[in-house]
Every structure is written in C-alpha cells, then in structure tokens.
Amino acid sequence: KLSEVIVVIGAYLFDMGAGHLDFGIELPVSNAIIGYLCLMELVSIVENLAEVNPSLGKLFEPYLEKLGKD
C-alpha cells in the first residue's frame, strides 16, 4: 500500500511539473494511475467476496478467470 501511495504522489508531482513544461499534449498521468488503482482494488474486493461467499464466487468466476489470464 505504501508503494501505491508513493506512485500516486509521484504522478501528482509529475502532473504539477508537466504544467511548467510544454509537451505539446496534456498528459493526465495522475488520473490514469488513480483510475488503475481503483480498478485494481475493485477486483481485489470482488475476489475476496467470491472467496467468502461461494455463491458469489460462482457468479464472478467467469470474469475472474478472464482477468487472471495473462
């Protein structure tokens, strides 16, 4: 969790620094990283619910299998 906080702070600092530089395009890095972290936590919550409640596990099983494949 600490590394996630460090990544968010780093992305925020990058966004602040990018405001002073001209890249030619706007790069909302912090929004993308925060969105990814929220999605990652949502998947973790669903995995935990599936493990605690087997009937929910059967409901989420096809989706979790697709996410688990590389």
Side-chain angles (χ1 to χ4, degrees), residues 1-51:
K1 297 295 179 191
L2 179 61
S3 62
E4 291 175 359
V5 171
I6 292 170
V7 167
V8 169
I9 291 171
Y12 240 169
L13 291 174
F14 177 84
D15 282 348
M16 288 174 52
H20 298 290
L21 302 173
D22 184 22
F23 288 121
I25 59 172
E26 194 168 321
L27 300 170
V29 175
S30 60
N31 291 344
I33 289 178
I34 291 170
Y36 174 74
L37 290 175
C38 289
L39 183 62
M40 194 171 64
E41 288 300 320
L42 180 64
V43 169
S44 176
I45 290 168
V46 169
E47 287 174 341
N48 290 335
L49 283 174
E51 193 158 321

